[in-house]
Amino acid sequence: MRIPLFPLKAVFFPGETVPLHIFEERYKDLIQDCQQEAMTFGIPVYVEDTISFGTEVQLKEVVNTYADGSMDVVCVARQVFRVVSFQPELEGKRYPGGDVTFPEPIQDADPAQKEAVLEASRELYRLMDLSFPPVKEEVFNSFTLAHKMGLSFQQEYQLLQLASEKVRLQFLLDHLNQTAKVLSQLNHTRELIEMNGHFRNFDPLDFKDYKLQ
């Protein structure tokens, strides 16, 4: 399938809201075409001078239009795609595009695995002394809180490429458990540092059997 492409150094997951500021002339054209033709476009992830995977998005609303023609728009991310070919300009257009394929998502997760990820997420937020965001457990999936789990850009991109929901959830659970372990160690170290210099009670030592060596 051939679609317009808007490469960015950013990862967007299916289901999330995508706010964009449009200022280049070619992408102003793209938004206008989306308004007129109700078409979608793709945001491939630009990483290490390449584009391989991205997310198809659909224009939802033009929030602001400025005097210079630039725009604030809101899109909704729909599904992951893989880039097959890239053209700097689509036929008769100023914006780029290319051929993409949409990998079939594999919905193979079980409820217990989802609950484990949710519980690990709550523990991470507890360790960081943060309020856990409200989540509807019945619609929760591996992408719901992906931006709120402390993943690096590379990790987010890796998650985007995984077709299996079971594998994605395990990827997140491994990350959460490792991060929680590090935070627990840091919190313990902080407690030791804060304790230093405070008045403390020590048990008296019994020296009656002590000998010099």
Side-chain angles (χ1 to χ4, degrees):
M1 179 178 178
R2 183 162 298 178
I3 61 173
L5 295 177
F6 185 178
L8 291 173
K9 192 174 182 179
V11 177
F12 298 108
F13 296 113
E16 77 169 293
T17 299
V18 181
L20 298 171
H21 179 66
I22 309 297
F23 59 91
E24 289 189 54
E25 295 300 325
R26 53 182 174 169
Y27 295 122
K28 292 177 189 177
D29 292 350
L30 172 59
I31 296 303
Q32 290 171 0
D33 286 350
C34 288
Q35 289 179 298
Q36 294 172 5
E37 303 175 28
M39 66 183 191
T40 62
F41 64 97
I43 301 181
V45 184
Y46 183 76
V47 54
E48 297 179 354
D49 297 326
T50 63
I51 54 170
S52 297
F53 284 85
T55 311
E56 179 193 29
V57 302
Q58 184 168 21
L59 178 67
K60 181 180 180 181
E61 181 183 5
V62 177
V63 179
N64 294 306
T65 301
Y66 300 95
D68 62 357
S70 62
M71 295 172 278
D72 295 327
V73 306
V74 173
C75 302
V76 177
R78 296 178 51 174
Q79 58 183 328
V80 177
F81 63 80
R82 185 183 186 115
V83 179
V84 178
S85 66
F86 178 78
Q87 297 172 260
E89 292 184 354
L90 277 178
E91 297 86 350
K93 305 293 183 181
R94 292 193 289 181
Y95 49 78
D99 294 314
V100 303
T101 59
F102 297 96
E104 189 68 29
I106 304 172
Q107 301 300 337
D108 53 355
D110 59 73
Q113 192 180 26
K114 289 186 177 182
E115 181 55 39
V117 172
L118 271 173
E119 186 55 37
S121 300
R122 294 189 186 100
E123 175 63 11
L124 176 64
Y125 274 66
R126 185 191 68 78
L127 288 169
M128 297 177 67
D129 197 25
L130 295 172
S131 298
F132 189 68
V135 175
K136 293 182 179 179
E137 296 189 17
E138 63 274 15
V139 296
F140 173 80
N141 61 52
S142 57
F143 294 136
T144 305
L145 296 175
H147 288 310
K148 299 181 180 294
M149 294 184 180
L151 296 172
S152 67
F153 174 72
Q154 291 290 346
Q155 287 173 316
E156 288 191 347
Y157 185 49
Q158 185 177 350
L159 182 69
L160 188 73
Q161 298 175 59
L162 301 175
S164 163
E165 175 71 355
K166 182 177 181 179
V167 173
R168 287 196 299 266
L169 287 170
Q170 189 60 51
F171 178 89
L172 292 175
L173 188 59
D174 291 344
H175 165 77
L176 289 166
N177 288 338
Q178 180 61 33
T179 304
K181 181 179 178 180
V182 172
L183 281 175
S184 295
Q185 293 171 341
L186 287 174
N187 286 341
H188 178 63
T189 301
R190 182 174 63 185
E191 290 171 359
L192 293 176
I193 292 171
E194 291 174 348
M195 189 186 303
N196 188 37
H198 290 192
F199 290 102
R200 289 173 286 167
N201 291 323
F202 292 97
D203 292 331
L205 299 176
D206 186 355
F207 292 107
K208 64 183 179 180
D209 296 323
Y210 181 77
K211 295 180 182 180
L212 290 174
Q213 293 183 354

